[in-house]
Structures are given as C-alpha cells and as structure tokens.
Amino acid sequence: MCKDRARRRHVEKQVFADRDEEIFRASKHRYRRHDNQPQQEELIRSRADRLLLSSNSSLSEGAGHEASLNVISGSSVGSGEYMVSLSVGTPPQELFLIADTGSDLTWVKCRSSSSFPFPLGLSLPSAASASIGPGSHASMNQSFDATVSSSFCPLSCQSSECSAWSPPRFCRHAAQRCTFSFSYTDRSTSAGHLVFESLIMGNNRQAQNVVIGCGRRYEGPNFDKAGGVLALGQGPLSLPTQFAARFGYSDKFSYCLTDFLGADSVVGSLAFGGSSLHSADVQYTPLLSNPSGRTFYYVGVKAVKVGDVELDIPAELWAIDSNGAGGTIVDSGTTLAQFVQPAYNMIRDAFQAAIRDMTPLDGQEVPGLDLCYSTSSTASSFQGSTKAAGFPNFAIVFDGGLVLQPPVQNYFTEAAPGISCLAMQGVPQGSFSVIGNLLQQNYLVEFDREKQRLGMSRADCATLHS
C-alpha cells in the first residue's frame, strides 16, 4: 500500500512511454461490445481462478447497510449506455461511468503528474473535480485528476492483484507499475495502470483501497461520452467481487434502469449487498456456467413469443456449445437486444406479420435497424403499456419460470422523430445473444451470485430505491 503521498511521488518518477505504446497496440483481453456492432467474439477466460485480495482495506459505515449508486440514462449526450455516478479519490471527484455487467475492471479516465504523462495527442477535458448533478450531463466526459488525490496508490508488478490480471510481458520488473490493457469488439480500447483508490457511494459509504484502473489511453465512441467504466462482471477485480471478498457484503447486486428516453432528471439505482433493492414478485432463472466466458451472466432461454405465438426457434440457437460459444447473456452495457441471426430473422418476421395496421418504412431512415414504422400519431401511447399502437406483445421465457414480458417501448424504440424501430439486431451464429439494457428498462434486475441465479420484476425505477 502507499503509506503517504511522498512514496507515491517516488513511484511516479518511473516513466514507461515506450511500453505504454506496446500495451495499447497489443491488447489481448477481448470482451464483447456494444450495440450496432456484430459480435466477432473471442470468449474470455479469466486470468486467475481466484485472487487473494489485500486485507488492508476498509469500508465506512455511512448510511444504511449497503452501498448504492445513482444510475441515469446517457441518451441526453448521445450514448446508448446507462451511467453510474461515482465519487473517486480524496477529496472525492464525481464521475459518470458506464454501468457494464460484461466487463471485470472498473477504470476511469485518468490524469496524473507531469512525471507520469499521457502520450502525446490525447485530448482530455480541463475540469476534473466539479460536482455533477443529474441535470448536468454535458460534464459526463470528465476525467479523474490523480495529482490531487491523497488516496491514489499505483500497484506494483509484485502485487497479488497484478499477478492475476496483467500479462507477464508487461511486468518485466517487480518495481514497475502494474498495467492493464484490453479492447472491446467495437474496437474501443483502454490501457493504463492498476491503482488502489477510495470510492464513495451515493449513500456516503466509503470503500478504501479498491482496485481500479487509471486509464491513460482509451479510444472509442462510448468513451467520448463518459468518464470510464464501472465493471459488474464475475471476474476477481469487478466491484461486486471486491465488495463481497473484502468488505463482507453478500455476493449480490441489483439495479433498476429508468426509461432510456425519459427526462434527464429521472434517476435509477444500483445497489450492492444482501438487502439489495426491493420489489414484489421477483422471478428467478439459474445463472449458467461457461468456463470460456466467466465474466458474463449467462441464462437459459426456453422460448420466445411474439403476440400469443411461441416461435419455433431451435433450442440449440440459445445453447452454449462444447467450445463455450453461443448462449445468452444479460448485459447492462449493450443497448439493443442481439440475437443470433436465424433466431433474429424469425423474431423480426413474426413482428412484421403481426403488425398489420402500419406499413414498414423502406429501411433507409435508420441505418442498422431494419424494421421501422411511422408512429408520429401514436408515440404517446407507448409509455407504460405492454401492447400499444398495434404492436404485439413480446416475451422471453427463461429456465426456472422467469418470464420477461416488457412494455412496448422496451423493444420498439423511437429511433428518430416519429419513427419507431424494432430495438433488436442479428449477430453471427456462434456469437452469444444479448438481453440488452433497453429490454431491461423499468425492471428490477437482481444478480444473486451466492445462489447463482438472476431475478427480474417489473418496477417503477424512478421511485424504487434501496
């Protein structure tokens, strides 16, 4: 651990500019990524089955019995993500991070001292520590100023946390900084160093010495809209794993995502710990194991219905094969629902056959979405209804009895003024299917990792709090 700021300054004298370029160009950790991109998947294998996390950590009592954070839609800044408000460092700097159940390392856009510079050509905003409210979304793209944080502590290559994460070729000497580097399948990339930092949740609970990434290099359209990524996957350095292993939390978390296109001031919630968020009538489905994709939350799909008709989609299109490919994940970091192409074709065709009162547009209005209708006269009827404006019901039946039957605005989205499109895409067979964040709007989603199950319940996320 860093005992004081002087020690950190001593460590920061080491500059590895050449190695940073190698790290950035030779990323090896590939994850899935985001909407509007076909998945060319390289499934993840965790770098370690377990990680001996440092015992020199603490969590303040604060208010309540769990950590909770506010979640807002990124639609006002042109992002398809949901953003979590998190305060980082000492004194705290508020940042908006992408809430992502499909990645394992929380990282922030990071500035540090002149002796530890960013590579030339990287443009960062000048503001770093101003307070941000839900109505100030123009400031979502802030970066973290490590030079003013007394709790900022870089990890060395000899730390146990580093040995479980960083490729050995990036740690040739024990005194070097521990690095991270990975890319997403939309070609977004992030690279930097692992550090210990202090996090403050929305209910004033402070977690000290949490391992996060100080992102020194990053590229990608989603990262232009946010201050980094908040990782909620199943890996050893994700926030749920660290909170459970180091701070005694029950190994579960839950969130409730408000209407993506709703008012900027409407706030949802993300809660860690045993009591989690609360809603009646939670239904559960087992989480499936996939040794080749340990980050993700896999679920079993039994059936898909459009209207009252169960589609004749072969079961193997939903299954994880012997090589770890395929399957279905629930992901907060993907916007549109994504289904393997044969299944998607059947779902799309079923919607087109069931919608008889409107004529599909010619497909040129909204690139990437291929079933759109003019809804200028009926858009107001979308809100809150499971069947509106001539659109049929849609339901996914999961193993264990969980049925996801969302309101129409969760699967037909207003892609342009007066134009609503099917909020789904096809991905190549062999990729996994994705229950994206639009399908999850106004659902309490509970990730019970202790019992290896996932729960859902319809909820008013604007009023549901821990």
Side-chain angles (χ1 to χ4, degrees):
M1 294 293 174
C2 294
K3 299 298 183 183
D4 52 36
R5 193 167 185 81
R7 177 178 173 182
R8 188 172 81 250
R9 291 301 188 195
H10 174 73
V11 175
E12 282 190 344
K13 290 179 181 178
Q14 302 178 76
V15 180
F16 305 110
D18 292 340
R19 186 164 55 84
D20 286 341
E21 187 66 21
E22 175 192 359
I23 293 168
F24 186 70
R25 294 185 182 278
S27 300
K28 288 296 183 181
H29 302 284
R30 288 198 174 269
Y31 294 76
R32 62 87 189 92
R33 208 31 172 198
H34 293 294
D35 51 291
N36 299 327
Q37 292 290 334
Q39 295 172 320
Q40 304 296 331
E41 296 303 333
E42 296 181 20
L43 292 171
I44 300 172
R45 189 172 297 275
S46 176
R47 295 200 60 82
D49 289 334
R50 62 188 181 89
L51 176 67
L52 296 177
L53 292 164
S54 170
S55 60
N56 186 15
S57 57
S58 63
L59 182 72
S60 67
E61 290 304 316
H65 302 290
E66 62 185 10
S68 64
L69 298 165
N70 290 333
V71 183
I72 59 176
S73 165
S75 62
S76 65
V77 294
S79 171
E81 309 289 356
Y82 281 84
M83 309 291 186
V84 174
S85 172
L86 179 69
S87 294
V88 181
T90 307
Q93 302 171 42
E94 189 175 15
L95 301 172
F96 281 94
L97 309 182
I98 296 168
D100 189 6
T101 58
S103 57
D104 286 333
L105 178 67
T106 294
W107 63 271
V108 298
K109 292 179 178 178
C110 194
R111 290 185 287 166
S112 54
S113 69
S114 58
S115 64
F116 185 30
F118 285 96
L120 295 176
L122 182 61
S123 176
L124 290 172
S126 58
S129 57
S131 178
I132 309 170
S136 304
H137 295 174
S139 300
M140 281 186 183
N141 190 28
Q142 288 186 318
S143 61
F144 174 69
D145 188 351
T147 65
V148 301
S149 175
S150 62
S151 51
F152 180 87
C153 174
L155 274 69
S156 71
C157 282
Q158 65 187 351
S159 66
S160 60
E161 293 85 353
C162 183
S163 64
W165 182 269
S166 187
R169 70 181 184 283
F170 295 156
C171 271
R172 299 190 180 99
H173 306 288
Q176 287 182 343
R177 290 175 179 270
C178 180
T179 64
F180 75 91
S181 177
F182 52 79
S183 63
Y184 301 83
T185 56
D186 69 347
R187 300 185 180 181
S188 296
T189 56
S190 177
H193 291 85
L194 294 187
V195 303
F196 288 110
E197 251 303 359
S198 175
L199 308 181
I200 299 179
M201 268 56 75
N203 55 350
N204 294 321
R205 289 180 67 80
Q206 182 180 43
Q208 299 175 349
N209 299 324
V210 178
V211 180
I212 64 172
C214 175
R216 296 177 58 198
R217 292 288 302 267
Y218 40 84
E219 290 183 357
N222 289 293
F223 302 154
D224 292 340
K225 314 293 185 182
V229 173
L230 188 137
L232 298 168
Q234 300 197 76
L237 293 184
S238 74
L239 282 195
T241 302
Q242 291 196 64
F243 285 172
R246 300 172 65 183
F247 305 132
Y249 277 23
S250 296
D251 194 5
K252 65 170 64 175
F253 68 94
S254 57
Y255 56 67
C256 204
L257 307 177
T258 57
D259 289 336
F260 181 73
L261 296 176
D264 290 353
S265 59
V266 178
V267 176
S269 298
L270 165 66
F272 300 93
S275 54
S276 199
L277 297 172
H278 304 286
S279 180
D281 303 323
V282 177
Q283 296 179 313
Y284 292 94
T285 185
L287 289 172
L288 305 182
S289 175
N290 183 357
S292 296
R294 296 178 182 178
T295 295
F296 308 117
Y297 296 97
Y298 286 88
V299 291
V301 174
K302 291 183 64 177
V304 171
K305 298 180 179 180
V306 174
D308 297 323
V309 178
E310 181 175 318
L311 304 184
D312 188 21
I313 300 174
E316 58 266 25
L317 293 180
W318 307 118
I320 302 170
D321 69 20
S322 59
N323 295 318
T328 303
I329 67 169
V330 176
D331 184 19
S332 65
T334 298
T335 305
L336 302 176
Q338 298 180 345
F339 302 116
V340 291
Q341 198 68 51
Y344 169 73
N345 291 344
M346 294 180 68
I347 294 169
R348 178 201 58 206
D349 293 348
F351 272 112
Q352 186 166 353
I355 300 172
R356 300 172 181 174
D357 297 333
M358 293 177 283
T359 301
L361 301 176
D362 61 14
Q364 302 301 313
E365 289 80 2
V366 185
L369 299 176
D370 59 5
L371 186 59
C372 298
Y373 297 88
S374 174
T375 54
S376 57
S377 63
T378 58
S380 62
S381 65
F382 265 48
Q383 298 301 315
S385 174
T386 57
K387 187 173 183 180
F391 291 91
N393 291 342
F394 175 70
I396 302 176
V397 182
F398 297 95
D399 294 343
L402 169 62
V403 178
L404 173 63
Q405 184 171 321
V408 68
Q409 69 264 25
N410 287 28
Y411 52 93
F412 268 88
T413 188
E414 188 176 3
I419 298 176
S420 293
C421 300
L422 182 64
M424 300 176 189
Q425 288 181 321
V427 294
Q429 196 164 351
S431 303
F432 47 62
S433 296
V434 183
I435 309 301
N437 60 42
L438 290 185
L439 277 180
Q440 300 175 55
Q441 294 174 100
N442 280 311
Y443 272 83
L444 166 65
V445 185
E446 178 184 305
F447 296 79
D448 188 343
R449 293 148 43 116
E450 287 183 343
K451 296 182 179 179
Q452 281 296 289
R453 62 182 186 174
L454 181 140
M456 288 186 175
S457 177
R458 282 291 302 275
D460 181 355
C461 292
T463 60
L464 181 66
H465 297 283
S466 58

